[in-house]
Structure formats: structure tokens, C-alpha cells
């Protein structure tokens, strides 16, 4: 490594990076001297553009290959998005609820979003089932324990255009989940903003995350189903 460092010092590299619009760029550089290749590195630059200055010695081939990838940022359009859930009550019908406060961010290299990094958070205190007493029970230690665990979190690990896989964290318990995605497409609104729409659906067992409370019924079965159906209507806006 010291030998490579000494050689590298003979090349007067200057790499200038600058933050702009939260874009990220990966720069791959192969630097060669006259006799042999000795340096290969990857530098991640949080910038939509880059520049460099190198040795003026024209006998040396400094940069052999440069490959850049720009990551675009997409943020939540909260006015056109919602995250809801439903469970069976008394085993005979569904009761629905939603989270009023949540956020989604996405970074992607392309408009098919298959190489995306997706993050989601929901504030447990914003849960709303149209019944204050029930909402308070859901926020209690019997269920989400909002005071101790104020957020639900999701971080994607894979997306192939139809199925989204990621780590879902509830009450500090993290488990992998698979969700179905219907990508509605990309459009521009009347104000020139580029929007993307997604419908995301899935089912989880709440007991896997420690939401164990229930009550047995005299007729058999339980008061609240263990299975929870999730639906998210998400609209994102591309950052300029």
C-alpha cells in the first residue's frame, strides 16, 4: 500500500466535489503509470457534477475509465398519498385505520425504479381508526406502545418492479416482508412537477412484531385477527 501511495503521489490528483440537489454520483477511476496498472478505487461523490485536475505529464495515462451514475431523489407528495390497514373484528368484518403522519423517500438511478433505495417511516401517535378509545388502546403497551416506540420503519432491500422486499421495524423488532407493487406510471402535473404513483399491498402477522393482545370470544375465535392487511397509495415528486 505504501508503494502504491508513493506512486499515486507522483500523480497530482485533485478531485473537486460539490453538493447539489442531493444527487449522488459514483466515480470509478483506473489510474495507470507507464509500466503497470497500480490503482483502482471507487469514490462516492454527493454531487450532480464533478471535475478533476491531474498530472500534466503527457507520458502517463492517468484516467483510463470513468463511469458515472446519477441518483435521482423522489420525495413524498403527502397531499396525494395515504397508508391504511385493516383487521378482522369479531371474525365477521373488517375495521380500517390509517396513519395520518408518515414519510417516504426514494433514490433511483432510472425511472423504472428497479435499483431504488426506499425508506418509509410512520408516526405511531398519528394512528386513526375513527374511534378515539380504540386509537388510545392501539397506542398503548398492549399494541404499538407509542411512547416507547414512536415510529414504524421500513427500508427496502430489493425491488423488481412488481415485488418490494424490505425490513419492517415495529417495537424495535425487525423482520423482512414482501409487498406487492402496482406502479401507476410517471406524469407531469400542471405546474411542471414530475410525479410517480404506486399502489402497495401486503399482509403481515402482527404477533411477529410483538403485538400480541387479544380477547377470546365465547363463540370461539378471537376479538381481533392476527393478520393485518396493508394498503399504501403513494405519490412521489421528483426533486429538480
Amino acid at each position: 500500500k505504501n508503494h502504491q501511495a508513493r506512486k499515486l503521489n507522483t500523480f497530482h490528483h485533485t478531485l473537486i466535489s460539490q453538493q447539489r440537489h442531493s444527487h449522488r454520483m459514483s466515480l470509478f477511476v483506473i489510474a495507470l503509470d507507464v509500466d503497470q496498472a497500480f490503482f483502482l478505487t471507487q469514490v462516492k461523490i454527493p454531487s450532480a457534477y464533478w471535475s478533476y485536475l491531474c498530472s500534466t505529464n503527457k507520458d502517463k495515462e492517468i484516467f483510463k475509465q470513468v463511469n458515472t451514475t446519477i441518483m435521482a431523489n423522489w420525495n413524498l407528495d403527502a397531499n396525494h398519498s395515504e397508508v391504511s390497514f385493516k383487521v378482522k373484528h369479531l371474525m365477521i368484518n373488517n375495521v380500517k385505520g390509517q396513519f395520518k403522519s408518515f414519510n417516504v423517500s426514494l433514490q433511483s438511478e432510472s425511472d423504472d425504479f428497479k435499483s431504488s433505495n426506499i425508506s418509509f417511516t410512520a408516526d405511531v401517535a398519528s394512528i386513526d381508526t375513527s374511534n378515539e378509545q380504540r386509537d388510545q388502546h392501539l397506542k398503548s403497551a398492549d399494541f404499538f406502545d407509542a411512547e416507547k416506540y414512536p415510529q414504524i420503519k421500513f427500508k427496502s432491500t430489493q425491488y423488481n418492479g412488481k415485488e418490494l422486499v424490505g425490513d419492517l421495524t415495529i417495537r424495535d423488532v425487525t423482520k423482512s416482508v414482501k409487498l406487492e407493487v402496482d406502479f401507476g406510471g410517471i406524469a407531469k402535473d400542471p405546474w411542471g412537477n414530475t410525479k410517480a404513483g404506486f399502489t402497495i399491498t401486503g399482509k403481515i402477522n402482527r404477533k411477529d412484531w410483538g403485538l400480541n393482545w387479544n380477547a377470546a370470544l365465547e363463540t370461539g375465535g378471537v376479538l381481533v385477527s392476527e393478520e393485518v392487511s396493508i394498503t399504501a397509495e403513494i405519490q412521489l415528486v421528483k426533486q429538480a
Side-chain angles (χ1 to χ4, degrees):
K1 292 182 180 178
N2 291 335
H3 176 64
Q4 293 178 353
R6 285 194 298 271
K7 281 193 172 184
L8 185 58
N9 285 335
T10 65
F11 303 97
H12 304 292
H13 285 86
T14 302
L15 182 64
I16 303 171
S17 65
Q18 185 171 350
Q19 181 78 26
R20 183 184 181 188
H21 302 317
S22 300
H23 288 174
R24 295 190 306 170
M25 183 177 293
S26 295
L27 172 64
F28 296 85
V29 181
I30 299 177
L32 307 176
D33 65 8
V34 175
D35 303 315
Q36 66 183 89
F38 69 88
F39 177 67
L40 172 62
T41 190
Q42 174 177 327
V43 181
K44 290 188 181 298
I45 306 171
S47 174
Y49 57 91
W50 56 270
S51 63
Y52 62 80
L53 300 172
C54 62
S55 171
T56 56
N57 187 337
K58 300 186 183 301
D59 293 331
K60 293 180 171 62
E61 182 182 4
I62 305 297
F63 295 97
K64 184 73 174 178
Q65 175 184 346
V66 175
N67 177 29
T68 62
T69 303
I70 297 176
M71 301 288 285
N73 284 347
W74 297 73
N75 291 343
L76 180 71
D77 181 349
N79 292 327
H80 300 97
S81 302
E82 63 179 34
V83 174
S84 60
F85 60 89
K86 64 182 180 180
V87 297
K88 283 282 188 182
H89 180 251
L90 292 174
M91 312 309 294
I92 58 174
N93 75 309
N94 290 310
V95 173
K96 296 182 179 180
Q98 62 180 314
F99 292 97
K100 292 292 192 70
S101 176
F102 61 92
N103 190 45
V104 179
S105 63
L106 181 151
Q107 295 82 40
S108 180
E109 295 177 2
S110 63
D111 288 346
D112 64 11
F113 300 102
K114 292 182 180 179
S115 58
S116 299
N117 298 316
I118 305 166
S119 297
F120 165 85
T121 59
D123 295 326
V124 174
S126 73
I127 198 166
D128 182 3
T129 65
S130 300
N131 182 291
E132 180 62 26
Q133 184 178 0
R134 183 169 54 216
D135 293 346
Q136 292 303 319
H137 191 199
L138 289 171
K139 296 173 191 178
S140 75
D142 282 344
F143 287 96
F144 289 103
D145 199 353
E147 186 173 345
K148 188 174 182 181
Y149 308 106
Q151 283 194 324
I152 295 170
K153 300 177 182 180
F154 175 85
K155 179 70 175 177
S156 68
T157 56
Q158 183 180 350
Y159 174 57
N160 62 14
K162 294 184 177 180
E163 186 177 74
L164 175 63
V165 181
D167 295 327
L168 177 63
T169 301
I170 304 174
R171 293 176 59 115
D172 273 0
V173 176
T174 302
K175 292 184 178 293
S176 180
V177 296
K178 293 181 181 180
L179 304 170
E180 299 300 316
V181 179
D182 180 10
F183 175 40
I186 295 176
K188 282 195 179 239
D189 68 15
W191 300 273
N193 299 305
T194 301
K195 304 287 191 70
F198 306 84
T199 299
I200 304 167
T201 57
K203 294 180 179 181
I204 63 171
N205 188 320
R206 61 187 177 88
K207 293 183 72 175
D208 291 341
W209 284 268
L211 280 69
N212 298 316
W213 185 91
N214 224 325
L217 303 176
E218 290 183 3
T219 55
V222 290
L223 184 64
V224 183
S225 65
E226 296 175 1
E227 184 178 83
V228 181
S229 297
I230 301 168
T231 301
E233 297 289 348
I234 301 298
Q235 190 169 123
L236 302 177
V237 58
K238 190 174 186 178
Q239 302 305 290

